């Protein structure tokens, strides 16, 4: 059950996430951030609640991962500084928006190859099982990834080996401009997992539902039953990346999708069911905004990495001298 | 006309000419292509000829091979070269080999378009160049389009030729301006002398041709030399004749490429010159290439990882002074 | 329904196939044939009956394709000469056992990358649909191929595009020495196709059953319903290739599997149901043996390709001069 | 001891040393490996450490990356190099880049074993070599084992090193005999002077080292020279120091590789020599390599497509005579 404290935590991170994304967009427009910037606005419920619920396990994600990384515990400063490409960024300016990694928070990316991280998550789940670690692994991917070989091979292997792996499909129905039903024979991608493992579906715009579903999933993994598939339907409010004009979705479609706003939904629940006051919510919102402002300041004032830093981290052993 | 418009025109004209020409790839249809190369074509030719595929690069190329077997002339688009690694089995084991292994019984008139290179801060998984790998595969024709005119003529040639062609484009060239010379009889397999000169031969291709041309005035001024600039155009087969003629004249070779130095494509050109043009060379050849590191996101680090007009000029001037050129 | 004439044709080709494979094995031992030689002994029912039933369509197959090629209409001489690497071989000595191609019989390989030909078959099915050709395409692959990304992507694309494609899985339960149930969560690989298309199962050791199933499948394709999956359980009698000692299967398992011999089964049906005399069967057997002997003679007496032939067929246009 | 036994021993010892070492691949467990490299290990270490995988090369490497992230030291076997093309995305976009892109936060102690090369009549889809592609990828260590002693020491080194290593084996070497020098402190990143000499430096690696050594007596007799034979051992990084020292002495370079000539790995070595050792070279370098064609099945065509001891001797003698060596 979701108590006040948890609801506040979810709300705080969702608001933080959204403000963070808007700030990132703004600084992209101003030229401080470059490359591909994929905003997660509209999908905060999934990104925050899944991470919070899966606290004990390992997580692998995609290039649309700012909010997830922060919900995992990575500081907004380190994320924003990475977007700015600064030395203080979580990947020291080498990775950028699509490549946030923080093993200290069991967060392993940030991968820019659609579906490419899924086999990595399978391997990590193998390691965890081998080590007798019961918390399991969660891999987050989009509907677009469910058409690629990497995804399918992973379903089969995870099932054959009974690995503690939660497949979390964030189905926002689009891969850039291509609607999922144009390139797959159905809208529900959980169908594809059916031969291999139990599947669940959840409203990805409902933070509490997501939290409960992922929590249930983690228990299932802990009990050693093998992998599980969870599909969450969501909606991204922005274009695929900041460079995408989003012209393939009608205003009507966008309006419909925004009616289910995940932050509003959680807010209503907190006000009406949990009895949290709007003043309390406002406090959280302000704290989030302050954190984002601080992150932007931090990023803007952080140094560029020195040019020689580009030769660092090619190898772990002996640095560059080893080779 | 823009480079991407020239590509669009080449597609449009070949599609109008032959119903068998079909285009497939991610977002090539309704969306118009992520670099807008296929814009407007779906309205003209419909969804059966502008095929929006799922994100499944292995299948994009693998399906194209099958379409060609079935009698079509597919033009597959890989959204960005890095993703093509997922299709390397189809490109190398199938597309390049079926004609040969079947002793010519199977013919594969097909093209795979490859936007590649370091764009702007797309980081290591979106910034690579694979010509060194692909030009080393027997059975593939590998073309690299550095300008509008070549892009147009070479893509038409690639589509109409009965062999598998890898068609490399650079992501920073799509908005490059230029004119198409419709009257010209351009042979896409021949190298192009972009600028004639007599003292130093600078060989390059794709976007680096522009960067070399920007560097040339400074080099000529500082070294008091005249540079001949050659755009290879076809990376396999290579037009060694044009290179040889130039080297006979200049005796000095500089090879410029954007890709990582170690094992980069330019090694083939320089090693050829060392073997075949040894006695014509008056100075050690110079290779200018990217660093041997994944491309970092930070803009300054990124730019420091690849040749720029400034670094090209700088390296050539230092080399020239050292060797008394 | 299977009439006498058809039964005789199937029987002839199955016996021919088996004798051919034994002859190939013998000449491999004698060093006339080299490389990987994958024998199809035990699986003749599937290889022959599926090809005969799918006569009008296009076929893509694997490296274990000698019998299929012959059932398609490729002459045993041209196949044996290819195994011998001779100029007169169906691929002029360039392909060998794993790479038989004959577009004049709508037979497109002969592919040695497990699963690699499946996307090609999908593309060909696309071409056929585009051309309004209703006969469709059949792609044959082993149980081992059903774990690879190429297979899965193909299921999805064929279903999304409603392509006239028959997926024919030859499930002999082994990929070299690995039992399918050790690397997939179930034995029946048709399960994997269930979300995408109708599936059928057939006894792959029963030529008549296979014939009827494939015929039904082709009608289904012709009617424009989209793809179909047919799984045939079979058993290969030999090792994976001639180089494989087959030590991972017990004598009991082998004995059990040979009890269902497809040639014996068809023979019994012909004798007992169709009223064909054993003398007639013997005539067919002798004709098959003569054909195999002739093929071996032809191959042995055929010239080696000239050394310069290795430069031929690199490109279709302008030969080598074009480049 | 055989080469494959030396590899087996290296696996066995590292597995005994460290529970985190696991082996995965097709038929590596119960079957013992298609070239018998993993024979007997499953009996000792069980099926959780000798992992039989499905035929899914992308996952084999992709899972190994994840295992390494999870704290294991995976050794992945690709049955034959050609199949590795299916895993190129994982090798190049993930295995080679995650350490760099994460600024060192992710460490990948892992090995991918690569049996490759022209064996005997396996035809074009089973005969390739990919060192030219892999040695060009920043972030990978690429080793090539030409003999028993190196195979043993280098594989142990590869497994115990905290970085991604591509370990190349040649399919025709598995039954090669040799001794392991257990006392030796071998540095797997250093090139090995197989035979000292003073007139011609012949550089090679993998199986070609043996073929070169077979050719040397004839070359030395015909040309009246003494050859220095160098086995590169590590293809990336390259031990240029050893090469430079040899070229300073001999002034002549021959590079021998089995792979196709155009864009082959040897181009990198020859282009390096042309750039860095130009003034030391007394004759044009010579590259000996395979033909630019897919490998044909027929034995005579196959042999004619790659260097053999006879063709190596022949080419070097012709070259030597032409250049007055
Ligand atoms: C293998 C690969 N192919 C193509 C791309 C280009 N690309 C980046 S994101 C994307 C769409 C992914 O859609 P989906 O998986 O649904 O995730 P979403 O963006 O909706 O979160 C594509 C095609 C890529 N990064 N990797
Ligand atoms: C991509 C790829 N990986 C591995 C191999 C090596 N290999 C050849 S056949 C085979 C087993 C295939 O088993 P299956 O698909 O069941 O076909 P069967 O041999 O049983 O007919 C393997 C692993 C290959 N040829 N291609
Ligand atoms: Mg999506
Ligand atoms: Mg099988």
């Amino acid at each position: 059950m979701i108590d006040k404290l948890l609801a506040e935590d979810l709300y705080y991170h969702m608001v933080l996430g959204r403000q963070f994304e808007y700030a990132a967009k703004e600084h992209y427009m101003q030229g401080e951030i470059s490359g591909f910037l994929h905003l997660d606005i509209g999908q905060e419920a999934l990104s925050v609640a899944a991470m919070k619920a899966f606290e004990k396990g390992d997580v692998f994600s995609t290039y649309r991962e700012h909010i997830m990384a922060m919900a995992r515990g990575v500081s907004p400063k380190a994320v924003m500084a990475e977007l700015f490409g600064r030395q203080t960024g979580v990947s020291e300016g080498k990775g950028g928006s699509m490549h946030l990694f923080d093993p200290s928070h069991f967060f392993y990316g940030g991968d820019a190859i659609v579906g490419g991280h899924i086999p990595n998550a399978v391997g990590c789940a193998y390691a965890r099982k081998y080590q007798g670690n019961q918390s399991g692994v969660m891999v987050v991917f989009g509907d677009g990834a469910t058409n690629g070989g990497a995804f399918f091979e992973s379903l089969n292997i995870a099932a054959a080996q009974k690995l503690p792996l939660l497949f979390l499909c964030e189905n926002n129905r689009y891969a850039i401009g291509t609607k999922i039903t144009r390139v797959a024979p159905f809208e529900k991608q959980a169908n594809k997992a059916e031969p291999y493992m139990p599947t669940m579906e959840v409203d990805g715009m409902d933070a509490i539902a997501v939290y409960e579903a992922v929590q249930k999933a983690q228990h299932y993994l802990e009990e050693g039953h093998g992998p599980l598939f969870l599909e969450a339907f969501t909606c991204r409010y922005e274009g695929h990346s900041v460079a995408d004009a989003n012209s393939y979705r009608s205003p009507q479609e966008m309006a419909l999708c925004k009616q289910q706003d995940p932050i509003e939904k959680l807010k209503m629940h907190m006000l009406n069911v949990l009895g949290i006051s709007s003043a309390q919510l406002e406090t959280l919102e302000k704290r989030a905004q302050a954190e984002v402002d601080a992150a932007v300041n931090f990023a803007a004032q952080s140094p560029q990495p020195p040019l020689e830093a580009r030769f660092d981290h090619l190898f772990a052993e002996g640095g560059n001298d080893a080779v | 006309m823009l480079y991407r418009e020239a590509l669009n025109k080449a597609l449009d004209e070949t599609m109008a000419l032959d119903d068998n020409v079909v285009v497939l790839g991610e977002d090539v249809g309704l969306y118009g292509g992520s670099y807008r190369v296929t814009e407007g074509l779906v309205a003209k030719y419909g969804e059966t000829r502008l095929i929006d595929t799922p994100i499944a690069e292995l299948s994009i190329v693998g399906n194209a091979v099958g379409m060609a077997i079935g009698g079509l002339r597919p033009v597959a688009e890989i959204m960005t070269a890095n993703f093509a690694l997922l299709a390397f089995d189809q490109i190398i084991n199938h597309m390049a080999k079926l004609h040969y292994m079947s002793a010519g019984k199977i013919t594969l008139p097909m093209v795979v378009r490859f936007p590649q290179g370091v764009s702007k801060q797309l980081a290591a998984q979106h910034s690579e160049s694979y010509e060194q790998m692909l030009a080393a595969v027997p059975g593939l024709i590998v073309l690299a389009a550095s300008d509008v005119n070549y892009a147009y003529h070479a893509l038409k040639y690639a589509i109409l030729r009965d062999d598998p062609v890898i068609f490399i484009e650079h992501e920073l060239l799509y908005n490059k301006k230029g004119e198409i010379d419709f009257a010209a009889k351009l042979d896409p397999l021949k190298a192009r002398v972009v600028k004639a000169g007599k003292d130093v031969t600078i060989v390059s291709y794709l976007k680096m041709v522009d960067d070399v041309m920007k560097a040339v005035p400074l080099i000529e001024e500082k070294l008091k030399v005249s540079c001949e600039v050659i755009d290879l155009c076809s990376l396999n087969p290579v037009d060694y004749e044009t290179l040889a003629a130039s080297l006979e004249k200049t005796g000095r070779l500089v090879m410029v490429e954007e890709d990582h130095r170690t094992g980069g494509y330019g090694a083939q050109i320089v090693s050829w010159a060392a073997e075949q043009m040894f006695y014509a060379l008056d100075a050690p050849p110079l290779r200018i290439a990217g660093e041997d590191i994944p491309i970092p996101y930070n803009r300054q680090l990124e730019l420091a990882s690849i040749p720029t007009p400034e670094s090209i000029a700088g390296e050539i001037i230092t080399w020239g002074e050292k060797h008394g050129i």
Side-chain angles (χ1 to χ4, degrees), chain A, chain B:
Chain A
M1 262 302 299
I2 305 286
D3 60 15
K4 281 191 192 185
L5 220 67
L6 179 56
E8 285 177 4
D9 193 30
L10 294 179
Y11 188 76
Y12 172 72
H13 273 281
M14 286 165 65
V15 172
L16 171 71
R18 184 167 295 187
Q19 303 305 358
F20 184 97
E21 297 292 65
Y22 279 122
K25 186 176 178 181
E26 184 188 330
H27 290 278
Y28 180 94
M29 296 306 176
Q30 293 171 11
E32 285 278 20
I33 299 175
S34 187
F36 287 140
L37 183 69
H38 305 88
L39 303 178
D40 206 13
I41 298 167
Q43 305 186 142
E44 299 90 349
L46 183 70
S47 295
V48 170
M51 295 299 133
K52 292 285 176 187
F54 207 77
E55 207 157 16
K56 289 178 288 176
D58 301 282
V59 174
F60 290 73
S61 187
T62 69
Y63 46 84
R64 199 184 296 285
E65 88 289 32
H66 312 155
I67 299 181
M68 294 191 199
M70 292 186 290
R72 261 340 254 180
V74 185
S75 93
K77 289 192 176 74
V79 177
M80 189 61 85
E82 188 57 33
L83 270 49
F84 274 58
R86 302 302 164 96
Q87 176 74 22
T88 52
V90 65
S91 305
E92 300 181 17
K94 286 204 157 71
S97 158
M98 305 194 283
H99 303 296
L100 309 173
F101 301 90
D102 194 346
S104 73
H105 292 100
F106 308 103
F107 188 77
Y108 303 100
D111 198 276
I113 303 300
V114 170
H117 60 309
I118 307 180
N120 302 345
V122 171
C124 189
Y126 189 93
R128 293 294 168 258
K129 186 176 175 183
Y130 180 84
Q131 291 153 346
N133 175 329
Q134 299 297 319
S135 317
V137 176
M138 173 164 73
V139 58
V140 189
F141 50 89
D143 48 290
T146 68
N147 301 317
F151 166 70
F152 291 113
E153 291 184 2
S154 298
L155 289 177
N156 185 60
I157 293 173
Q161 304 243 18
K162 281 191 175 296
L163 300 180
L165 179 60
L166 172 60
F167 289 86
L168 175 53
C169 177
E170 182 172 41
N171 190 339
N172 59 15
R173 298 183 180 82
Y174 284 89
I176 309 185
T178 297
K179 203 164 187 164
I180 181 68
T181 44
R182 295 184 61 236
V183 289
F186 32 68
E187 182 164 74
K188 210 177 131 180
Q189 302 312 305
N191 291 355
K192 295 176 178 172
E194 269 191 346
Y196 307 93
M197 61 192 71
T199 65
M200 296 162 65
E201 189 181 317
V202 69
D203 175 0
M205 306 300 271
D206 181 341
I208 291 173
V210 170
Y211 189 91
E212 287 172 347
V214 172
Q215 203 174 37
K216 221 163 96 183
Q218 189 163 49
H219 291 152
Y220 180 90
L221 300 187
E222 281 174 352
E223 284 162 7
H225 303 298
L228 195 63
F229 190 99
L230 173 61
E231 181 163 20
F233 287 94
T234 63
C235 175
R236 68 165 152 81
Y237 289 2
E238 303 280 313
H240 170 70
S241 73
V242 179
D244 169 29
N246 195 24
S247 55
Y248 41 87
R249 292 187 292 179
S250 67
Q252 293 85 319
E253 184 176 345
M254 290 313 303
L256 225 90
C257 130
K258 288 183 184 177
Q259 274 171 22
Q260 318 184 23
D261 187 72
I263 293 181
E264 279 308 305
K265 183 173 260 162
L266 180 58
K267 188 181 204 163
M268 288 305 127
H269 182 82
M270 291 169 80
L271 289 169
N272 302 336
V273 180
L274 296 179
I276 298 173
S277 72
S278 52
Q280 280 168 300
L281 293 181
E282 236 172 75
T283 309
L284 292 172
E285 289 157 16
K286 285 203 180 122
R287 224 181 78 213
Q289 187 58 55
E291 180 85 34
V292 169
D293 293 343
V296 170
N297 272 340
F298 175 80
Q301 282 163 25
S302 289
Q304 300 280 347
L307 285 187
E308 317 78 57
R310 70 188 187 281
F311 299 116
D312 296 342
H313 307 304
L314 190 57
F315 293 109
E317 258 187 41
N320 314 305
D321 301 339
V323 294
Chain B
M1 179 172 295
L2 304 181
Y3 182 89
R4 66 175 161 76
E5 291 168 340
L7 295 167
N8 184 282
K9 192 172 174 59
L11 286 168
D12 191 3
E13 289 180 10
T14 46
M15 292 187 85
L17 196 71
D18 184 350
D19 277 355
N20 288 318
V21 178
V22 298
V23 172
L24 69 162
E26 295 155 18
D27 285 312
V28 297
L30 298 192
Y31 193 81
S34 48
Y35 292 104
R36 301 173 58 193
V37 169
T38 50
E39 210 168 51
L41 296 178
V42 72
K44 246 171 133 167
Y45 302 106
E47 289 184 43
T48 53
R49 294 184 67 190
L50 270 294
I51 307 161
D52 280 326
T53 67
I55 306 170
E57 283 76 7
L58 182 71
S59 285
I60 293 174
V61 179
N63 292 173
V65 168
M67 290 171 175
I69 289 176
L72 304 184
R73 287 188 175 274
V75 182
E77 173 176 306
I78 297 294
M79 203 179 259
T80 288
N82 273 70
F83 318 149
L85 294 174
L86 287 160
F88 262 40
D89 168 63
Q90 286 296 333
I91 294 174
I92 299 176
N93 280 328
H94 296 84
M95 177 177 170
K97 295 200 178 100
L98 288 183
H99 183 70
Y100 186 84
M101 292 197 306
S102 70
K105 286 201 166 67
I106 285 180
T107 293
L108 298 177
M110 63 180 285
V111 181
V112 179
R113 290 185 38 241
F114 251 79
Q116 73 167 33
V118 175
S119 180
K120 198 179 165 202
Q121 292 192 253
L122 303 184
Q125 288 183 339
H126 277 71
S127 299
E128 288 198 325
S129 299
Y130 294 128
E131 66 274 11
Q132 72 94 5
M133 300 188 183
L134 296 165
V137 178
L140 298 179
I141 306 283
V142 181
L143 307 180
S146 65
D147 76 1
V148 167
N149 189 49
Y150 186 81
Y152 168 79
H153 286 288
L155 183 55
K156 281 185 78 169
Y157 168 89
I159 297 172
L160 298 176
R161 182 171 169 149
D162 278 344
D163 288 300
V165 178
I166 300 286
F167 193 88
I168 304 182
E169 302 158 16
H170 194 289
E171 292 173 18
L172 289 183
L173 293 177
Y174 287 113
N175 290 320
K176 179 174 170 174
K177 289 207 181 84
E179 295 304 319
I180 297 173
D181 179 353
F182 292 99
K185 252 197 75 69
L186 184 149
D187 177 354
L189 302 185
K190 281 213 81 63
R192 185 169 62 101
V193 179
V194 183
K195 170 188 176 305
K198 56 187 187 23
D199 303 310
V200 179
T201 300
I202 309 180
V203 179
S204 186
Y205 54 94
L206 225 55
K207 173 173 173 289
M208 282 295 127
V209 174
D210 291 346
D211 290 356
V212 165
M213 286 302 287
K214 284 184 198 142
V216 158
L218 192 62
I219 298 164
E220 296 196 330
E221 188 202 309
K222 278 282 173 114
L223 292 181
K224 310 278 177 247
V225 293
S226 107
C227 298
E228 178 143 309
V229 178
I230 295 178
D231 175 3
L232 283 173
C233 298
S234 172
L235 304 185
N236 193 15
V238 176
D239 173 10
Y240 289 116
E241 256 177 54
T242 298
L243 297 187
S246 180
L247 287 179
E248 289 290 358
K249 179 169 62 174
T250 65
R252 297 174 187 111
L253 170 63
V254 178
M255 174 73 220
V256 184
E257 72 202 289
E258 182 184 294
D259 196 14
H260 314 299
R261 156 177 291 270
T262 294
Y265 177 83
Q268 169 63 27
I269 301 301
V270 171
S271 75
W272 163 81
E275 267 191 289
Q276 303 300 324
M277 303 300 296
F278 188 76
Y279 297 109
L281 294 180
D282 298 329
L286 173 67
R287 265 189 80 200
I288 298 177
E291 306 276 10
D292 285 331
I293 51 174
I295 303 296
Y297 166 74
N298 174 282
R299 182 62 173 162
Q300 298 171 17
L301 268 49
E302 179 181 62
L303 282 176
S305 306
I306 53 170
T308 58
E310 298 72 41
S311 75
I312 292 167
E315 285 196 50
I316 293 179
I317 291 165
T318 306
W319 165 83
E321 285 168 351
K322 181 168 164 198
H323 298 289
I325 296 166

